[in-house]
Amino acid sequence: MNFNRAVIKVGSALVAPDANGCSGKYIRAISQFIAQCQQAGKEIIIVSSGSVAAGRTYISHGSPNPSIPTKQAMAAVGQMQMMANWQRFFDVPCSQLLITHGDLKDRQRYINIKNTLRILLENNVIPIVNENDTVATEELKVGDNDNLAALVALVSEADSLFILSDVDGVFEQDPRINPQAKLIPTIATIDESVYAMAGATNNHIATGGMKTKIQAAEKAVENGINTYILNGSRGDVFEQILQGKNPGTHFIAQQGATRARKHWLKHTLKSSGKLLLDAGAINALVKQGASLLPSGVLEVSGTFKVGDCIDIYDLENDIHIAKGISQYNARDLKRIKGHKSDEISTILGCCPSKVVMHRDDLVMIETTKN
Ligand code: GLU
């Protein structure tokens, strides 16, 4: 198991076990594992469930399956408990990101989330994401953090997604019914038979069961992200991961997914603007694989919004060099072009991004250096 940037999804049963609020029972070992990953130079983003489970004891209910508003109130009080519980096991600061599936569908918000995550990681702060349960009522339940974790892995360009719960992985049969059932170590293709094997869990604390985990894995592997379903309640699981072993079920990332994204960027996305660059900026893009900075932009044309695709031209030779997703709209880019990144906040009053286009969002046209 080899990874550099991973999203670790931690289920409610690990955050708030025993129906008695948050505890360090499992989080202690998970945090230690995360700290060890960081010491080895890996970047980790946590997607944590557990706010509803953690808030349960503070809100009167009287039903094993409370109403959505009651769960939302539980989440509101439980979120505080959950964040405090995480922070007490880390020496580095934790940060809270509450987002909804809808936020990730909105282009501007998607970019904002992407930038926030990037900057938090650059500053060695641990991002802890949960669904913004107060406003999320999709499918008449509060949230689904398995699928949310897959989207967070996508937006953060993670190479791996670890889904931790209290089950060991996907079994050929339901292990509660047949204790001899075999764990499946690797799954190369996710089809109906995999969903059939997954069955459903009866754990009243967990929201999604195995089905949403497989859905999450399907989304992630399609985008080149290796996905693992692992038992986060067993300390030996983390030792095995650190030794490079796979202690659960590994859904193998589809090859060429990054190429597919670049292909999509190059051939499918329609450009709504054009930038002319100076020779220095062209050189940095082509030869050094750098991101595009405002200082290298000489001219801006077209009307585009944040997140739109725009063409990049070499001013001197009028050659179409690259295409990419802009972090700025045309109006703001006209104001910051030619300026150093440090000057952006003085000019615009804020600095949403130091780069005009991040390298990951850029594809070369005239060269083979993608
Ligand atoms: N957002 C919910 C919570 O924090 C959990 C959703 C899920 O587990 O999928 O309790």
Side-chain angles (χ1 to χ4, degrees):
M1 189 185 284
N2 190 11
F3 63 97
N4 289 314
R5 181 180 293 170
V7 168
I8 301 187
K9 191 266 171 174
V10 186
S12 300
L14 301 173
V15 174
D18 311 324
N20 191 26
C22 287
S23 85
K25 188 172 175 185
Y26 302 121
I27 295 304
R28 187 187 310 272
I30 297 171
S31 321
Q32 259 166 20
F33 166 67
I34 292 172
Q36 281 169 307
C37 290
Q38 289 179 319
Q39 276 153 20
K42 300 176 192 305
E43 293 175 315
I44 305 291
I45 295 166
I46 300 172
V47 173
S48 181
S49 297
S51 65
V52 174
R56 231 178 152 83
T57 51
Y58 301 95
I59 304 289
S60 56
H61 49 286
S63 147
N65 189 17
S67 67
I68 289 179
T70 304
K71 280 190 187 169
Q72 288 170 319
M74 289 171 172
V77 60
Q79 180 68 22
M80 294 275 292
Q81 310 294 322
M82 184 183 94
M83 289 303 295
N85 194 42
W86 276 114
Q87 184 62 77
R88 74 191 172 106
F89 295 106
F90 285 112
D91 291 332
V92 292
C94 295
S95 56
Q96 171 178 270
L97 293 88
L98 295 177
I99 60 183
T100 63
H101 290 252
D103 291 332
L104 288 156
K105 286 185 193 143
D106 178 287
R107 207 185 296 190
Q108 171 75 61
R109 291 180 190 192
Y110 184 92
I111 298 264
N112 292 350
I113 294 166
K114 189 180 178 94
N115 289 340
T116 305
L117 286 169
R118 189 181 287 153
I119 293 169
L120 289 170
L121 291 175
E122 277 166 14
N123 285 278
N124 201 26
V125 174
I126 300 180
I128 304 184
V129 182
N130 192 5
E131 182 144 28
N132 190 355
D133 287 319
T134 309
V135 296
T137 54
E138 225 172 286
E139 293 168 21
L140 295 179
K141 61 177 191 187
V142 178
D144 162 11
N145 275 6
D146 294 323
N147 278 294
L148 186 71
L151 298 176
V152 171
L154 275 175
V155 71
S156 62
E157 316 229 354
D159 52 53
S160 302
L161 168 63
F162 299 154
I163 302 179
L164 305 184
S165 71
D166 55 359
V167 292
D168 289 339
V170 180
F171 285 82
E172 283 173 0
Q173 289 163 322
D174 189 336
R176 288 164 307 172
I177 296 167
N178 176 7
Q180 308 301 323
K182 282 207 190 85
L183 177 72
I184 306 173
T186 48
I187 295 180
T189 313
I190 300 176
D191 54 21
E192 281 311 313
S193 67
V194 174
Y195 279 98
M197 279 187 291
T201 65
N202 286 329
N203 183 344
H204 71 280
I205 299 175
T207 300
M210 195 49 86
K211 184 173 164 214
T212 52
K213 292 178 181 41
I214 310 260
Q215 285 170 346
E218 197 171 357
K219 270 197 198 84
V221 296
E222 265 171 26
N223 287 283
I225 300 164
N226 280 299
T227 303
Y228 302 83
I229 296 182
L230 303 161
N231 192 336
S233 68
R234 282 180 26 202
D236 63 301
V237 159
F238 301 114
E239 281 160 33
Q240 291 188 52
I241 300 173
L242 291 169
Q243 288 163 11
K245 295 183 191 147
N246 160 31
T249 298
H250 173 198
F251 297 86
I252 301 170
Q254 284 173 18
Q255 294 302 311
T258 314
R259 286 180 68 95
R261 185 171 182 274
K262 297 257 171 174
H263 187 273
W264 165 78
L265 198 59
K266 188 168 175 175
H267 300 288
T268 317
L269 269 194
K270 207 167 158 288
S271 299
S272 39
K274 183 172 169 180
L275 305 183
L276 299 182
L277 305 196
D278 66 16
I282 294 288
N283 197 43
L285 293 192
V286 176
K287 303 252 166 67
Q288 294 155 26
S291 296
L292 174 60
L293 302 175
S295 53
V297 180
L298 296 174
E299 280 180 39
V300 179
S301 56
T303 41
F304 49 87
K305 301 188 292 300
V306 175
D308 279 351
C309 181
I310 40 186
D311 288 322
I312 296 177
Y313 277 74
D314 169 2
L315 175 71
E316 213 170 304
N317 305 306
D318 196 32
I319 299 172
H320 188 191
I321 296 286
K323 258 175 105 174
I325 309 256
S326 180
Q327 296 271 346
Y328 283 92
N329 63 36
R331 201 188 48 223
D332 287 347
L333 193 47
K334 280 179 187 153
R335 294 172 64 196
I336 60 169
K337 74 177 164 63
H339 288 276
K340 293 206 172 72
S341 300
D342 291 347
E343 296 169 329
I344 297 176
S345 20
T346 318
I347 302 169
L348 299 181
C350 62
C351 178
S353 169
K354 288 196 163 181
V355 303
V356 173
M357 264 181 213
H358 194 269
R359 180 70 209 172
D360 296 341
D361 300 330
L362 223 149
V363 60
M364 308 311 287
I365 304 284
E366 289 294 325
T367 75
T368 51
K369 193 174 185 322
N370 283 342

